Amino acid sequence: MDISEIEHLFKHNNWLDQLPLHVIQGLIAVSKLKVLNKGQILYAKGDSADGMYCISKGKIRVSNVNSQGKEMVLTWLENGIWFGEISMFDNLPRTHDAHADEKSHLLIVPKLAFQKLLQDNPHFYPYFMRMLCQRIRVTFNLIDETGGLSLLGQLARRLILLVNGLHNAGQHQKTKQIGISQESLAHMINSSRQTVNKLLNQLGQKNIIKVDYGMIEIINMQELEALCEI
Amino acid sequence: MDISEIEHLFKHNNWLDQLPLHVIQGLIAVSKLKVLNKGQILYAKGDSADGMYCISKGKIRVSNVNSQGKEMVLTWLENGIWFGEISMFDNLPRTHDAHADEKSHLLIVPKLAFQKLLQDNPHFYPYFMRMLCQRIRVTFNLIDETGGLSLLGQLARRLILLVNGLHNAGQHQKTKQIGISQESLAHMINSSRQTVNKLLNQLGQKNIIKVDYGMIEIINMQELEALCEI
DNA sequence: GTTACACTGTCGCCAATTTGACAATCTTTA
DNA sequence: TAAAGATTGTCAAATTGGCGACAGTGTAAC
């Protein structure tokens, strides 16, 4: 990964891109690269944080384990996504587990460097206040839009969430494919594999999605969005 | 409401109480009082924000209307609770509706005054960054802990949430009574009044809670917490 | 006080969902 | 390539939960 590629990662973020170029370059100078192999853990819930991450390649699974020991996946994060900023800002433990689902390349902005940046340049605070507010709005949305939906509605909402990402709005949409097993999907909406299988195939017959082995592709996004109303 | 009472409201908040006394007094000087009658609306989702609130008396219902037109209640807020800070910090519309469920007295800290405070004193930013992070952590918890629970588990979780408050941690616990109809509770966990009624009475027979007209009292908090594992 | 309204308790029926089971298909690993 | 493991498709039986109905009880308003 060369410098221009790294700069691009910063420019891709709605908040970091507000920083003057020389500040970005300062952050890049102290940032580190990290490569995770498939299945490797990045951090666990409760870990203390070393910094904030951006994915330059690969896929990270953000999840935690519920009281029955079942893994509940919050979301997957992919190229260009920044994450892990909460613990960086408040110095408290990680809220989730993060695993690499495939070989992944990450950029790490160290916590101390970032905190020093803010300390030395308090006028940058508002950018990151807004960044945090945005996170809150997204999670509120998740809570609100899930409540009151039928199972089919929840499934549709979840599929959209999985392609668009739980992360910050305004991303240019990539492929509309989701690599996920029906069992994982079932876990996410607190349902059974069999029911999810039935519902997915119903959507498949209506040509709204295409169901494959370990893979779902969204064909008709409008229809899917309409289903989120039920 | 006299000055010392208002000062107490500021001291009650984990973040505001970090501000020097003269700053608090400055904020109090520009704050306004507002009285809402029962049923009156404080703001609606989408409204632009005038500031941040604290309840000195009464009860505020935070909710929104889902796509089927059903009201989904996120939480109730009571004495001493600060809320409405998101829109104040990011200048974006309100995320929820807020209604007074009974005659309520509010303190309003105007947005402009607060923004000026931060502009003039950037070293206060970190307090409020942490405040926002705390909100994110609480909402993540709500999402994570609800997922994978049985209906009974969700109900137990919700009851605990309602006495402890969805708001920031570290509040000294008041009475363990919740004034709420079983129908409202049902809405909150996306279930039916009848089912909630049955579950509540089961908990009542086990002496975990006490069920009354429009009122639920938690008797055995430990047992209730244990139920959040199923 | 009494009338209207809101809330609770409890049916029974019916639809939706879970669960366990098993076979078929796809992918990965040895 | 073959074997092992993961994922999907499908059934039937058992369970859960939603919904309408209606009576009983508590609260508020006039």
Side-chain angles (χ1 to χ4, degrees):
Chain A
M1 190 155 48
D2 62 18
I3 289 290
S4 77
E5 203 178 328
I6 296 180
E7 268 181 24
H8 178 74
L9 293 179
F10 278 85
K11 284 293 172 192
H12 184 269
N13 181 283
N14 282 342
W15 291 273
L16 292 168
D17 69 359
Q18 313 261 354
L19 302 178
L21 190 58
H22 73 274
V23 173
I24 291 184
Q25 286 168 344
L27 283 177
I28 291 177
V30 293
S31 292
K32 291 173 212 139
L33 296 176
K34 183 166 194 165
V35 177
L36 291 173
N37 289 317
K38 178 172 173 174
Q40 211 177 331
I41 190 168
L42 174 60
Y43 53 74
K45 178 170 183 164
D47 282 359
S48 69
D50 49 355
M52 176 165 83
Y53 303 94
C54 184
I55 306 177
S56 81
K57 185 169 154 310
K59 193 193 285 189
I60 300 290
R61 186 177 81 247
V62 179
S63 62
N64 67 21
V65 178
N66 72 10
S67 39
Q68 295 120 78
K70 230 167 50 172
E71 179 183 33
M72 304 293 297
V73 176
L74 180 65
T75 191
W76 278 266
L77 305 171
E78 300 190 62
N79 293 9
I81 301 302
W82 287 86
F83 65 102
E85 79 282 0
I86 317 288
S87 293
M88 194 182 70
F89 287 137
D90 70 4
N91 266 315
L92 292 173
R94 295 291 185 196
T95 57
H96 294 87
D97 297 342
H99 291 263
D101 261 9
E102 40 189 73
K103 184 165 185 167
S104 303
H105 293 234
L106 300 177
L107 181 73
I108 309 179
V109 179
K111 177 168 76 173
L112 291 179
F114 206 90
Q115 287 176 342
K116 184 168 184 335
L117 165 74
L118 285 174
Q119 232 166 52
D120 296 345
N121 307 275
H123 55 289
F124 289 151
Y125 269 115
Y127 300 138
F128 299 101
M129 292 279 279
R130 283 197 289 272
M131 178 175 176
L132 291 175
C133 286
Q134 174 69 19
R135 273 265 191 255
I136 297 176
R137 286 172 184 273
V138 171
T139 51
F140 272 159
N141 257 334
L142 183 64
I143 293 174
D144 293 338
E145 293 184 351
T146 304
L149 289 185
S150 68
L151 214 50
L152 182 59
Q154 287 182 48
L155 182 59
R157 153 79 35 219
R158 207 64 191 208
L159 290 176
I160 293 175
L161 224 56
L162 286 173
V163 289
N164 284 349
L166 186 61
H167 25 77
N168 305 319
Q171 310 288 354
H172 43 80
Q173 220 144 270
K174 302 159 284 269
T175 166
K176 289 196 170 56
Q177 288 190 342
I178 311 160
I180 186 179
S181 76
Q182 299 179 1
E183 182 151 26
S184 302
L185 248 181
H187 278 170
M188 293 179 81
I189 61 172
N190 198 19
S191 175
S192 71
R193 180 186 68 77
Q194 293 90 329
T195 301
V196 166
N197 174 261
K198 200 171 60 182
L199 294 175
L200 285 176
N201 285 331
Q202 282 172 16
L203 294 179
Q205 276 170 5
K206 291 184 194 162
N207 261 309
I208 298 175
I209 62 175
K210 188 160 164 295
V211 182
D212 258 322
Y213 186 89
M215 170 74 64
I216 292 160
E217 184 176 358
I218 297 185
I219 309 284
N220 188 334
M221 180 61 91
Q222 257 124 37
E223 285 281 343
L224 203 58
E225 277 167 353
L227 288 174
C228 297
E229 314 273 305
I230 29 173
Chain B
M1 188 155 49
D2 62 20
I3 290 289
S4 75
E5 205 178 328
I6 297 180
E7 266 181 27
H8 178 75
L9 294 180
F10 277 84
K11 283 296 172 190
H12 185 269
N13 180 284
N14 283 343
W15 290 274
L16 292 168
D17 70 357
Q18 312 261 353
L19 301 178
L21 190 58
H22 73 273
V23 172
I24 292 183
Q25 286 167 344
L27 283 176
I28 291 177
V30 293
S31 293
K32 290 174 212 139
L33 296 177
K34 183 166 194 166
V35 178
L36 291 173
N37 289 318
K38 179 173 174 173
Q40 211 177 332
I41 190 169
L42 175 59
Y43 54 73
K45 178 170 184 165
D47 283 358
S48 70
D50 50 354
M52 174 165 89
Y53 304 95
C54 184
I55 307 176
S56 82
K57 186 171 153 311
K59 194 192 283 188
I60 302 290
R61 186 178 80 248
V62 179
S63 62
N64 67 17
V65 178
N66 71 11
S67 41
Q68 296 119 79
K70 219 164 66 168
E71 179 184 33
M72 303 293 297
V73 176
L74 179 65
T75 191
W76 277 265
L77 304 172
E78 299 190 63
N79 294 7
I81 301 304
W82 287 87
F83 65 103
E85 79 283 359
I86 316 290
S87 293
M88 194 182 71
F89 287 136
D90 69 4
N91 267 313
L92 292 172
R94 295 290 186 196
T95 57
H96 293 87
D97 298 341
H99 291 263
D101 261 9
E102 41 187 74
K103 182 164 186 168
S104 302
H105 293 236
L106 299 178
L107 180 73
I108 310 180
V109 179
K111 178 169 73 174
L112 292 179
F114 206 90
Q115 288 176 342
K116 185 168 183 332
L117 166 73
L118 284 174
Q119 232 167 51
D120 296 346
N121 306 276
H123 56 290
F124 289 150
Y125 270 116
Y127 299 139
F128 300 100
M129 292 278 280
R130 282 196 289 271
M131 179 176 176
L132 291 175
C133 287
Q134 175 69 19
R135 273 268 191 253
I136 297 176
R137 285 172 184 273
V138 171
T139 51
F140 273 159
N141 256 334
L142 184 64
I143 293 174
D144 293 338
E145 294 185 348
T146 304
L149 289 186
S150 68
L151 212 49
L152 182 60
Q154 287 182 46
L155 182 60
R157 155 77 38 214
R158 207 65 190 207
L159 291 176
I160 294 174
L161 226 54
L162 284 172
V163 290
N164 284 349
L166 186 61
H167 23 76
N168 305 318
Q171 311 288 354
H172 41 79
Q173 221 146 272
K174 302 162 283 271
T175 165
K176 290 198 170 56
Q177 288 191 341
I178 312 160
I180 185 178
S181 76
Q182 298 179 1
E183 183 152 27
S184 303
L185 248 180
H187 277 170
M188 294 180 79
I189 61 172
N190 196 19
S191 176
S192 72
R193 180 186 68 77
Q194 293 93 325
T195 301
V196 167
N197 174 260
K198 201 171 60 182
L199 293 175
L200 284 177
N201 284 333
Q202 282 172 17
L203 294 179
Q205 277 170 6
K206 290 185 194 161
N207 261 308
I208 297 175
I209 62 175
K210 189 161 163 295
V211 182
D212 258 321
Y213 184 87
M215 171 72 64
I216 293 159
E217 183 177 358
I218 296 185
I219 308 284
N220 189 335
M221 179 61 91
Q222 257 122 39
E223 284 282 342
L224 203 58
E225 278 167 353
L227 288 174
C228 298
E229 315 272 306
I230 34 175

